[in-house]
């Protein structure tokens, strides 16, 4: 099965009849889903639809906002919310977008979608092309750059507001993504 559900189903302790009923339901849902996918695949995706990409010059960068790279002054490509058809991954992406300032881990996200950590990690990577933490850092770096451009808040406060508990770690990740420290970035903007 595409999402690795076979291993999950095999671990369940259910009767054979219950398993058959479940498999029939899954088969019916997959058939309906395939029909819906075929219909949507026939339509073109509008150019404003967000897509997740990387910049070759900056391998740690992702693409997540509606602004095109030329619309911003960022030294990295902003992260665009990827179009993912998997419900749990979509749920994680939405959660990150709304709660990026909180402590988010693979463990907390696996609990949030009620799946195993390794499975969530592998599935997120498969569906988005990036690890969950890499995606989270991309969202946080975009927000941090926005704060640096538009406010006079201290760097340590910005790091805290975008979800980093340590200002040293924030500066390290910011420099990895942008090639400069937050202070240098602020002076360039």
């Amino acid at each position: 099965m595409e999402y690795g559900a076979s291993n999950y189903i095999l671990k369940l302790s259910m009767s054979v009849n219950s398993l058959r009923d479940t498999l029939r339901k899954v088969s019916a849902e997959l058939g309906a889903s395939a029909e819906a996918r075929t219909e949507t695949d026939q339509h073109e995706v509008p150019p404003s639809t967000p897509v997740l990409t990387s910049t070759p010059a900056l391998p740690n960068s992702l693409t997540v906002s509606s602004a095109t790279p030329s619309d911003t002054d960022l030294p990295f490509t902003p992260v665009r919310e990827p179009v993912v058809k998997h419900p749990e991954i979509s749920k994680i992406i939405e959660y990150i977008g709304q709660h990026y300032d909180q402590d988010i881990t693979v463990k907390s996200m696996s609990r949030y979608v009620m799946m195993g950590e390794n499975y969530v990690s592998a599935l997120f990577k498969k569906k988005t092309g990036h690890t969950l933490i890499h995606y989270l850092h991309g969202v946080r770096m975009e927000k941090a750059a926005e704060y640096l451009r538009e406010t006079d808040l201290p760097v340590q406060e910005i790091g805290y507001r975008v979800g980093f508990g340590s200002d040293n770690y924030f500066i390290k990740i910011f420099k990895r993504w942008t090639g400069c420290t937050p202070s240098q970035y602020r002076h360039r903007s």
Side-chain angles (χ1 to χ4, degrees):
M1 294 182 166
E2 182 183 354
Y3 302 121
S6 57
N7 291 337
Y8 179 74
I9 290 172
L10 292 174
K11 290 179 185 176
L12 293 175
S13 56
M14 58 178 17
S15 70
V16 173
N17 289 336
S18 178
L19 180 60
R20 282 187 187 129
D21 290 341
T22 302
L23 290 174
R24 280 189 201 110
K25 288 177 185 175
V26 168
S27 179
E29 287 179 18
L30 288 174
S33 175
E35 287 176 17
R37 236 189 345 260
T38 303
E39 289 175 14
T40 56
D41 289 347
Q42 292 173 355
H43 303 293
E44 275 191 42
V45 177
S48 62
T49 301
V51 179
L52 188 66
T53 58
S54 288
T55 305
L58 296 165
N60 286 332
S61 66
L62 296 175
T63 340
V64 169
S65 59
S66 58
T68 59
S70 61
D71 292 343
T72 66
D73 299 349
L74 299 176
F76 62 95
T77 307
V79 187
R80 294 186 189 271
E81 189 172 306
V83 178
V84 178
K85 294 183 180 181
H86 193 279
E88 281 77 15
I89 300 304
S90 296
K91 194 174 174 182
I92 289 170
I93 289 168
E94 184 178 332
Y95 184 90
I96 289 172
Q98 295 172 356
H99 304 279
Y100 63 88
D101 58 335
Q102 298 173 9
D103 185 30
I104 296 176
T105 62
V106 173
K107 185 175 187 172
S108 67
M109 290 296 91
S110 65
R111 284 188 193 146
Y112 180 65
V113 295
M114 295 180 281
M115 297 174 131
E117 286 179 54
N118 291 337
Y119 181 67
V120 166
S121 183
L123 185 62
F124 194 93
K125 173 85 173 178
K126 179 181 178 183
K127 296 297 178 183
T128 66
H130 298 279
T131 67
L132 192 147
I133 298 304
H134 188 252
Y135 177 81
L136 173 63
H137 283 169
V139 172
R140 287 177 170 172
M141 292 304 101
E142 184 178 3
K143 300 297 182 182
E146 186 178 318
Y147 276 122
L148 288 165
R149 284 191 316 271
E150 298 175 8
T151 72
D152 291 328
L153 291 169
V155 169
Q156 134 184 4
E157 174 66 21
I158 291 172
Y160 176 75
R161 286 191 182 195
V162 298
F164 289 94
S166 159
D167 53 333
N168 287 335
Y169 186 57
F170 166 63
I171 292 167
K172 176 183 174 181
I173 298 300
F174 192 90
K175 188 170 184 177
R176 185 181 297 164
W177 275 75
T178 65
C180 62
T181 66
S183 297
Q184 291 169 337
Y185 177 82
R186 174 175 271 160
H187 293 300
R188 289 181 190 171
S189 296

